[in-house]
């Protein structure tokens, strides 16, 4: 596509003999200084920045309407902000990029200036021209790094008799680059804030996930040294201590082996797991808390159900959900762990009646199952790594936590 060329600055000045060349040069210098000072300013928000750039651009280029747009990968043109006498334009509007003049900027990835759109055969049939008769158009792409963010553009009903100069092209490109740099800096700041939040969550994960198994080991050890404990019971306790210790060691190893939490992802090793075995292990991990709080644990599942998951990670999630359910159940209440088929997935529900205030954790239960408040966040992270998500609902004082896993074997 051959677009209108920008005019050399000297030729542009020669077109208007009514204004002395020195005055035109002063005006160019004034515009350049204004844009430079604008670029050097510090803005508290993106909205403040683009508003000032639009107002300045309208005055510098002598055009009526200014728009900063964002163009999505789906081809949607979103108005980030607009300054215009046209009442039909407002912030937040969305259009297909093909329905805007900016489609040519996106296609070419360069600054374009159309002095009179009506004289361009490939533009005068455009819906914007047909409806609004916008003649003059000057626009630059906004890049954030190497990625196209959108456009910085100005239009007017009146055509530009002298066209657009290279000086004007350079000015709008300078302004668009400044907008892109601001967005890039903002994105980096957002990532730093997000990383800081992940570090805080990481500390919570460690406290949460190590407290439970270490507390269990202490609890089991105390049970094992009781004088009336039978030899068979001691052997069972030793086995549980070993298993719980392995879980704690595995968690510590996972911290050292990868930066899953700092990267926002948890790695999983998928295998075929029998749901009943997974349920049995999760219930065994919380049975002490359930017994001391008078909560009855029920399981409803088809024996042949198998899913693809990371057994240790899912046990961690189920344990957190069960502790939460027990904690918020009425005294002597019931918590059900249920699995049922939904097409090619296994739906897993943790169901309990709700009590307005959770039962307080005291003594050994506080050591064994006390949470720093990251339980559901941990569950959500683990399920996300499995391509699933946690859904919670409440009906008639019944609380249901649900997630789905792909079936490995038909139920």
């Amino acid at each position: 596509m051959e677009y209108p060329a920008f005019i050399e600055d000297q030729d542009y000045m020669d077109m208007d003999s009514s204004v002395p060349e020195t005055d035109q040069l002063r005006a160019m210098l004034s515009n350049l200084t204004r844009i430079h000072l604008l670029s050097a300013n510090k803005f508290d928000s993106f909205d403040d920045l683009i508003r000032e750039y639009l107002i300045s651009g309208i005055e510098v280029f002598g055009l009526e309407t200014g728009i900063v747009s964002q163009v999505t990968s789906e081809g949607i043109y979103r108005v980030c902000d607009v300054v215009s006498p046209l009442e039909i334009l407002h912030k937040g509007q969305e259009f297909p990029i093909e329905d805007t003049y900016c489609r040519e900027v996106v296609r070419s990835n360069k600054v374009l200036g159309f002095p009179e759109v009506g004289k361009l055969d490939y533009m005068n049939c455009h819906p914007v021209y047909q409806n609004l008769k916008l003649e003059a158009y000057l626009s630059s792409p906004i890049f954030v790094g190497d990625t196209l963010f959108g456009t910085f553009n100005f239009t007017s009903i009146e055509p530009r008799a002298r066209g657009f100069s290279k000086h004007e092209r350079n000015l709008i490109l300078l302004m668009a680059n400044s907008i892109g740099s601001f967005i890039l800096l903002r994105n980096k700041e957002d990532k730093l804030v997000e990383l800081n939040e992940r570090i805080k969550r990481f500390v919570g994960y460690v406290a949460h996930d190590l407290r439970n198994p270490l507390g269990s080991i202490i609890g089991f050890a105390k049970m094992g040294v009781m004088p009336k404990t039978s030899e068979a019971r001691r052997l069972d306790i030793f086995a549980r201590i070993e298993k719980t210790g392995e879980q704690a060691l595995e968690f510590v190893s996972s911290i050292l082996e990868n930066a899953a939490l700092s990267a926002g992802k948890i790695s999983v090793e998928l295998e075929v797991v029998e749901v009943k075995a997974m349920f049995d292990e999760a219930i065994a991990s919380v049975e002490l808390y359930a017994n001391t709080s008078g909560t009855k644990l029920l399981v409803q599942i088809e024996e042949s159900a198998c899913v693809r998951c990371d057994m240790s990670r899912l046990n961690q999630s189920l344990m957190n959900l069960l502790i939460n359910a027990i904690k918020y159940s009425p005294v002597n209440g019931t918590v059900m762990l249920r699995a049922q088929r939904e097409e090619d997935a296994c739906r897993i529900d943790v169901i309990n009646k709700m009590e307005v205030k959770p039962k307080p954790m005291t003594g050994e239960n506080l050591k064994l199952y006390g949470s720093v408040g990251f339980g559901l966040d941990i569950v959500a992270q683990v399920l996300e790594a499995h391509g699933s998500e946690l859904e919670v609902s409440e009906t008639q004082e019944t609380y249901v936590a649900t997630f789905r896993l792909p079936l490995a074997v038909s139920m």
Side-chain angles (χ1 to χ4, degrees), residues 97-105 112 114 117 123 126 128-130 133-137 155:
I97 185 63
E98 292 298 318
D99 291 347
T100 71
Y101 286 174
C102 291
R103 72 180 186 189
E104 301 301 324
V105 176
L112 297 180
F114 300 156
V117 172
M123 292 296 293
H126 195 283
V128 172
Y129 184 77
Q130 294 295 322
K133 289 295 187 289
L134 295 176
E135 290 286 0
Y137 170 77
T155 58

Side-chain angles (χ1 to χ4, degrees), residues 11 15 27 55 64-65 75 97 124 132 220 226-227 259-260 274 306 314 336 340 350 358 372 387 410:
D11 294 338
M15 290 179 183
I55 293 172
E64 300 168 341
T65 295
I97 185 63
N124 57 24
L132 301 178
F220 287 137
M226 290 180 179
E274 186 180 4
C306 291
L314 258 298
M336 174 176 285
Q340 55 186 341
V350 179
V372 294
S410 177

Side-chain angles (χ1 to χ4, degrees), residues 48-67:
D48 292 342
L49 177 138
I50 60 177
R51 171 61 53 158
E52 288 300 318
Y53 271 58
L54 289 174
I55 293 172
S56 297
I58 287 173
E59 295 176 2
V60 167
F61 302 120
L63 300 174
E64 300 168 341
T65 295
I67 297 176

